[in-house]
Amino acid sequence: MIRIIAVLLLLVPGLVSAFGIKLIRDTLFDDVYPIFINIGIQFAVGFILFAGGIAFIGGFIVHRDRKRQQNKKKRR
């Protein structure tokens, strides 16, 4: 049950990132959604969604690795 919750917890930010990529792609091909007034606003929202989703997934992985003590030791 806990693994299903973890997968769902990673699925939602993944979908948000995918939608952010779609907004960026639509901006580059000059397809503006009626919600956004300007094409620059659409690009900025898409970039924020993409970066936020990737940051959440990356933070989740780093937190899990630190919790299980799987991070690499620093070499000197």
Side-chain angles (χ1 to χ4, degrees):
M1 184 66 175
I2 293 176
R3 290 181 188 229
I4 293 173
I5 294 171
V7 168
L8 290 176
L9 191 65
L10 290 177
L11 181 71
V12 173
L15 292 174
V16 169
S17 294
F19 186 67
I21 290 172
K22 182 181 181 330
L23 284 177
I24 292 171
R25 186 196 65 192
D26 289 345
T27 301
L28 294 176
F29 289 118
D30 205 23
D31 185 21
V32 181
Y33 284 93
I35 298 171
F36 303 108
I37 301 168
N38 190 354
I39 213 165
I41 294 172
Q42 180 174 331
F43 182 83
V45 169
F47 185 75
I48 289 169
L49 289 175
F50 172 70
I54 294 298
F56 184 85
I57 292 171
F60 183 85
I61 292 171
V62 167
H63 175 72
R64 183 191 58 149
D65 287 348
R66 286 183 182 165
K67 184 178 172 183
R68 294 182 182 183
Q69 298 175 353
Q70 293 179 349
N71 53 354
K72 293 182 179 179
K73 302 286 183 187
K74 290 185 180 180
R75 293 185 184 180
R76 288 189 180 197

